[in-house]
Amino acid sequence: MPSNAPDLAPGLASAARTKVAIPRLQRPHPPQGSGKDRRRVARACTACRNHKIKCSGSSPQCKHCESTGRECIYIMPRKDRLKIVAERCAQMAAYLKALKHAASDEDAVRISELLDIVEEDISDMPQAQTPSNPDVDADESREFRAMMANGTADFQSHLEVDSLDLDENLHENERSRATGFVGKNAEVQWLRTLLLQERQKEDPGIASSSISLWTNSEQVSLVTFYLDTENVDLDYEVDAYELPPPETAERLLVLYMEKVHDSFPILPKKLFEDQFLRYFQGMARGAAPRLNPKWQAILNLVFAIGARYSHLSKEEWRADERDHLIYQARARRFAWNDATLSQHPDLPQIQVAGLLAFYYLSAGQVSRAWVAVGMALRFAQALGLHVRNEDPSASGPKREVLVRIWWSLYSLDRQLSVITGRPSVIVDSNCSVTLPLPLSEEQVNDTIHAAARISRLSSSSAVSALTSPTYTGPYPMTGIEPPHTPTGFARPDANSGSFFRAIVQMATITQTILSSLYSASTMIRSPGELQQDISQLNQRLDNWAGSLPAEFDFHMRRSGMGTPLRNFYRERVLLGFQFYGARILLTRPCLGGFGPGRDGRSPTASVSFLHNMAVLCVEAAKAELDLLPDHPDARFISKNGPWWSNVHHLTQAVAAILLALSSSSYAFEDPVVLASYAKKAIRWLRSMYDRLAERAYLVALNAFRVVASKLALDITDLWNEHAMAYPSMGQTVVGDDVSEMAFPTKFANSSPVLRYGPDISMPAPRPPVPAFVSFESPPASIPIPLQTMGDIYDNAYH
């Protein structure tokens, strides 16, 4: 046996080196409908990947996203995205080579350097030879080349999608640090872009990105009108334990519950009112219970927000102009101090952070508000408020309280992202919390909650279909008549719960708009993808409006107005501001699409799409201003509008109109008519007599005068009104910290045609608001508590 080993070893080695092809086992195909097809899908959606579950791969929504009512997103593999980026880099390099021969010597050298860098990067980039899904990707590649051949380059040249690159030094001084980064979707950046465009028109040799060659009058920190540079700290010590008189406390609580709570239900209304009543009744009897410091912070923040509103609405009983600063200083002493970050979060701490963020927003401190709401969301995520609550020990009302706290923070964060242009800390694919029930707080109890839960699960496919971006209902996208509810979907009843649910749904649409059009990934996406997103999101906005209760229909005209609907006048105005603001945000990048084409050629289909979206943007700005009466009234807009963000909505609308006037000499409508709407917005800003509104008024008036001088629009009436309102300024429109700009002095003598008016039914006169409680004698149904207020609050949600 050993003698044969040397002879066998070479054969065994040769056999080991020989590869034998083993055919793939052909599995029998199961019959259709057997439910045992276990083939892998080409791509899994982001939600299934994050939860590490099998994705069905169905479109527009997989089974998991359909059952949970979430948006289903499929992302291309990295190697496929790299392949598309490489193709686009090669196309841009070819375009630069064509321009090189027509450029100056200096520019030609610069182009050669850029081409060398691009060619080196492309050669180093990993090549994706085989796409992950050949059929799908081949179709996408053919579609992309066809769009480029059919004039999509014109689409891209008109579409104003800017990068998120930073073009100024935010570390320069205290003012720039206080303002911080302001993204491209903020109305402050829109006004800044307008000024940059006008400066470039005066000197075409200056590139739009060469801000360092100019004076610093167009820096964001000097164009912004928000009050982040102002100090919120008092110059004297406050007694943290001091409280306002009972009558003042009543009024402040009533204002908060009437003007804030339905839009921002971060507090359980009945519970907090009961605690408020018990404490002040005990204090009147000389037996006030000991208070939890965080409850005291919440109480003072409620007072601060109510006091801020009392000044904006010019309440006759309002106190000193700085009383809201005193209340917020007391709240910060209790629960927003050095120990805030070192302590483990609890529910009251989440509410403190959320209320502080809302207060900062109402006071024009948007940077501080953005930081505070970010901390509130981190606290909430640490306690699991962002996921579905299946705790068997939690009652139905408690779960709904937690759901509404989360969505309150979510919607506030989305609003601050729109105002500041900064990203959110929330990743939607990591959240599974259910939407708030369309029920008022009085209707929420265990029985109704359980019944609604069963109903919600049984109709999850219908709800997800309605909220899907690809859903198309039977009603038109635009038009004067209000859209109808899609067949098969019943509108919910009009109440505070359905109102807040509508706000939450709009917040989710807004987030999709921000991520689709104003994120860093926008720059590497194809024009076809951007156009498709704009169309689908525009349809989602119409679907949202069509699903509202009839009483919330903000398209409603005065004629045929019934008496019961007047009770929801404020809700209609608030939802109208939300809808038109979101539509302006969606279509703002298309404002460069006015006109038949900048080179005189007939417009392509893509450019026509841009023009239609630009018209829709301006129409949305006009409709938003049509929600307000012709004559400015500070009390009206404070009582009926989103008083905490009125300035944002007005400046957003006027910025869109001014950009439309500035973008092209041709517009779909008489520029004089558009100018009349800009005048209306500016007059409303001037009428508020608030520090934030005053700064926004000066910035908007400056920008309007620059545009009006180029189009020979007559604004002498607006200028005369300004001189009467601000006689000490003379012939300058400059505040103590608002940017200086040079204004032309010649104007044409054309009279604007005012063509605007309220597009919504006016409310019936309201009787005086009664006092909330009487502190002379407590009702028998609410006894004075024997335990401390801290114990009451700690056990409030069990």
Side-chain angles (χ1 to χ4, degrees):
M1 189 69 180
S3 61
N4 296 334
D7 298 333
L8 296 176
L12 292 174
S14 175
R17 288 193 298 268
T18 304
K19 295 182 178 180
V20 179
I22 301 176
R24 181 183 296 273
L25 179 63
Q26 301 294 330
R27 297 182 178 180
H29 294 285
Q32 294 184 356
S34 62
K36 297 183 179 180
D37 189 358
R38 303 180 60 85
R39 292 177 298 174
R40 293 172 59 90
V41 298
R43 297 174 189 167
C45 69
T46 56
C48 292
R49 273 198 272 174
N50 290 329
H51 291 86
K52 294 181 174 56
I53 61 177
K54 182 176 176 60
C55 182
S56 64
S58 53
S59 180
Q61 283 187 310
C62 68
K63 293 182 179 179
H64 171 69
C65 295
E66 185 178 3
S67 62
T68 57
R70 302 191 61 81
E71 186 175 4
C72 194
I73 301 174
Y74 292 93
I75 299 180
M76 295 178 61
R78 181 176 180 272
K79 59 181 181 180
D80 295 344
R81 296 198 303 269
L82 287 176
K83 179 175 179 290
I84 294 177
V85 171
E87 291 179 357
R88 293 174 189 167
C89 288
Q91 292 167 356
M92 289 187 286
Y95 183 65
L96 284 176
K97 289 179 181 178
L99 291 178
K100 179 179 177 181
H101 302 289
S104 62
D105 295 338
E106 182 179 354
D107 291 338
V109 172
R110 179 59 179 158
I111 291 175
S112 299
E113 294 175 353
L114 290 175
L115 288 175
D116 294 339
I117 296 174
V118 170
E119 290 176 359
E120 182 180 354
D121 291 341
I122 292 178
S123 62
D124 294 339
M125 184 177 296
Q127 300 297 320
Q129 300 293 341
T130 343
S132 61
N133 193 338
D135 296 334
V136 176
D137 293 327
D139 293 340
E140 291 179 352
S141 180
R142 285 194 297 268
E143 179 188 2
F144 177 77
R145 289 194 295 267
M147 291 178 64
M148 293 297 295
N150 291 333
T152 311
D154 291 340
F155 176 88
Q156 224 166 6
S157 66
H158 287 277
L159 188 66
E160 298 178 16
V161 178
D162 299 325
S163 67
L164 297 181
D165 297 337
L166 190 64
D167 56 5
E168 63 173 308
N169 181 15
L170 297 181
H171 312 273
E172 183 177 358
N173 50 47
E174 181 64 26
R175 181 186 183 88
S176 60
R177 290 193 298 271
T179 303
F181 173 75
V182 180
K184 301 299 182 182
N185 57 271
E187 68 272 9
V188 171
Q189 280 286 9
W190 298 358
L191 292 171
R192 177 174 179 256
T193 299
L194 175 67
L195 297 175
L196 299 183
Q197 289 177 354
E198 295 301 327
R199 178 68 64 86
Q200 188 181 13
K201 290 177 183 178
E202 294 177 1
D203 188 357
I206 299 179
S208 60
S209 60
S210 303
I211 191 171
S212 60
L213 301 178
W214 306 341
T215 63
N216 62 356
S217 61
E218 284 84 10
Q219 291 185 356
V220 173
S221 59
L222 294 178
V223 177
T224 183
F225 43 83
Y226 287 104
L227 307 178
D228 297 290
T229 56
E230 295 189 356
N231 193 2
V232 295
D233 296 325
L234 298 173
D235 52 4
Y236 57 90
E237 290 291 330
V238 297
D239 182 4
Y241 293 92
E242 185 178 355
L243 289 172
E247 296 78 10
T248 303
E250 288 181 19
R251 290 172 173 146
L252 294 177
L253 179 64
V254 168
L255 289 183
Y256 175 87
M257 291 300 174
E258 284 193 348
K259 303 301 181 182
V260 177
H261 179 73
D262 287 350
S263 301
F264 188 65
I266 197 171
L267 298 176
K269 181 178 180 180
K270 187 177 185 306
L271 172 65
F272 188 79
E273 288 178 342
D274 289 348
Q275 293 172 345
F276 176 91
L277 180 60
R278 293 177 183 181
Y279 174 72
F280 277 92
Q281 287 175 348
M283 189 171 61
R285 295 188 176 190
R290 180 178 60 86
L291 292 177
N292 185 312
K294 293 178 182 178
W295 192 89
Q296 287 178 282
I298 292 174
L299 180 65
N300 278 284
L301 286 172
V302 168
F303 290 159
I305 295 172
R308 174 66 180 155
Y309 174 81
S310 69
H311 296 296
L312 293 177
S313 60
K314 310 302 177 187
E315 301 291 336
E316 296 180 356
W317 51 266
R318 66 186 183 275
D320 182 81
E321 291 290 337
R322 305 212 314 173
D323 60 341
H324 61 92
L325 292 174
I326 297 175
Y327 293 131
Q328 66 89 22
R330 293 172 181 167
R332 289 165 57 195
R333 288 279 299 275
F334 282 118
W336 197 258
N337 45 44
D338 296 338
T340 300
L341 293 179
S342 61
Q343 296 175 349
H344 296 296
D346 55 12
L347 198 57
Q349 189 64 40
I350 295 173
Q351 293 166 320
V352 168
L355 287 168
L356 186 62
F358 189 93
Y359 164 75
Y360 281 147
L361 172 61
S362 68
Q365 303 277 341
V366 292
S367 284
R368 289 184 172 92
W370 184 77
V371 172
V373 77
M375 293 185 65
L377 288 167
R378 288 297 191 197
F379 293 157
Q381 289 173 328
L383 293 182
L385 267 65
H386 63 294
V387 295
R388 187 189 300 268
N389 189 342
E390 300 294 345
D391 179 12
S393 64
S395 63
K398 176 186 175 180
R399 292 182 184 181
E400 189 64 20
V401 166
L402 299 178
V403 165
R404 297 192 181 194
I405 290 175
W406 169 259
W407 286 115
S408 297
L409 299 174
Y410 183 98
S411 58
L412 179 60
D413 176 73
R414 292 299 184 255
Q415 188 168 3
L416 287 168
S417 293
V418 172
I419 293 175
T420 62
R422 301 173 188 173
S424 169
V425 301
I426 306 173
V427 180
D428 285 346
S429 58
N430 294 335
C431 305
S432 60
V433 60
T434 58
L435 290 175
L437 293 174
L439 303 172
S440 65
E441 292 186 33
E442 294 78 11
Q443 296 173 310
V444 176
N445 54 53
D446 286 329
T447 304
I448 295 181
H449 191 280
R453 182 180 180 84
I454 296 173
S455 175
R456 177 191 296 177
L457 292 175
S458 63
S459 60
S460 60
S461 59
V463 175
S464 60
L466 180 60
T467 57
S468 172
T470 58
Y471 176 80
T472 54
Y475 50 84
M477 292 173 59
T478 59
I480 297 178
E481 293 300 324
H484 301 286
T485 306
T487 305
F489 299 99
R491 291 186 176 186
D493 295 332
N495 52 54
S496 59
S498 58
F499 171 71
F500 179 62
R501 185 186 177 98
I503 291 177
V504 169
Q505 291 172 329
M506 178 56 71
T508 60
I509 298 175
T510 301
Q511 173 58 24
T512 310
I513 294 174
L514 294 177
S515 59
S516 299
L517 300 180
Y518 296 98
S519 64
S521 62
T522 304
M523 302 302 299
I524 62 173
R525 301 182 63 206
S526 69
E529 292 172 334
L530 295 176
Q531 181 172 341
Q532 183 181 19
D533 283 352
I534 294 173
S535 299
Q536 291 179 351
L537 288 169
N538 188 49
Q539 186 63 55
R540 281 187 64 182
L541 287 175
D542 286 318
N543 293 344
W544 175 86
S547 65
L548 295 176
E551 294 85 347
F552 293 164
D553 188 0
F554 47 85
H555 298 86
M556 196 173 300
R557 299 279 183 177
R558 284 192 186 185
S559 58
M561 186 63 186
T563 303
L565 300 184
R566 295 184 179 182
N567 295 332
F568 298 98
Y569 174 76
R570 182 170 182 266
E571 285 78 2
R572 290 196 298 276
V573 174
L574 292 175
L575 294 176
F577 272 107
Q578 293 244 348
F579 175 82
Y580 294 122
R583 176 154 282 173
I584 293 173
L585 186 70
L586 173 64
T587 54
R588 152 71 183 96
C590 304
L591 280 178
F594 276 132
R598 293 172 182 172
D599 54 1
R601 296 178 302 172
S602 59
T604 62
S606 299
V607 176
S608 297
F609 170 82
L610 280 176
H611 178 84
N612 294 335
M613 292 296 104
V615 171
L616 201 60
C617 180
V618 178
E619 288 296 324
K622 291 165 57 180
E624 190 169 29
L625 295 174
D626 280 337
L627 294 174
L628 302 174
D630 295 348
H631 302 288
D633 181 5
R635 291 176 60 87
F636 175 86
I637 195 172
S638 297
K639 290 182 177 296
N640 299 289
W643 62 270
W644 55 89
S645 58
N646 279 331
V647 173
H648 155 67
H649 285 285
L650 290 174
T651 51
Q652 186 187 50
V654 73
I657 291 174
L658 294 182
L659 283 169
L661 288 171
S662 175
S663 61
S664 175
S665 59
Y666 169 82
F668 72 100
E669 191 173 0
D670 186 357
V672 176
V673 176
L674 292 182
S676 67
Y677 277 92
K679 290 181 180 182
K680 179 179 181 179
I682 292 173
R683 288 187 173 108
W684 271 95
L685 289 171
R686 189 183 64 230
S687 71
M688 295 182 192
Y689 293 103
D690 176 66
R691 176 67 174 155
L692 174 62
E694 180 184 36
R695 287 166 56 100
Y697 160 73
L698 295 175
V699 173
L701 182 59
N702 287 340
F704 184 40
R705 188 172 182 182
V706 170
V707 175
S709 65
K710 300 297 178 60
L711 299 179
L713 296 172
D714 182 18
I715 62 169
T716 53
D717 55 341
L718 201 62
W719 185 246
N720 292 335
E721 295 170 8
H722 167 78
M724 294 178 61
Y726 299 91
S728 60
M729 287 188 180
Q731 292 299 314
T732 59
V733 190
V734 181
D736 56 352
D737 52 2
V738 178
S739 61
E740 292 193 29
M741 304 169 196
F743 296 104
T745 57
K746 296 181 181 180
F747 302 95
N749 295 322
S750 58
S751 302
V753 179
L754 299 180
R755 202 188 76 181
Y756 48 73
D759 190 26
I760 194 167
S761 59
M762 297 294 292
R766 282 190 171 187
V769 179
F772 170 62
V773 293
S774 174
F775 292 103
E776 297 178 357
S777 57
S781 58
I782 306 180
I784 300 297
L786 299 178
Q787 67 269 52
T788 65
M789 189 63 71
D791 294 333
I792 294 176
Y793 197 86
D794 292 339
N795 299 322
Y797 302 103
H798 295 282

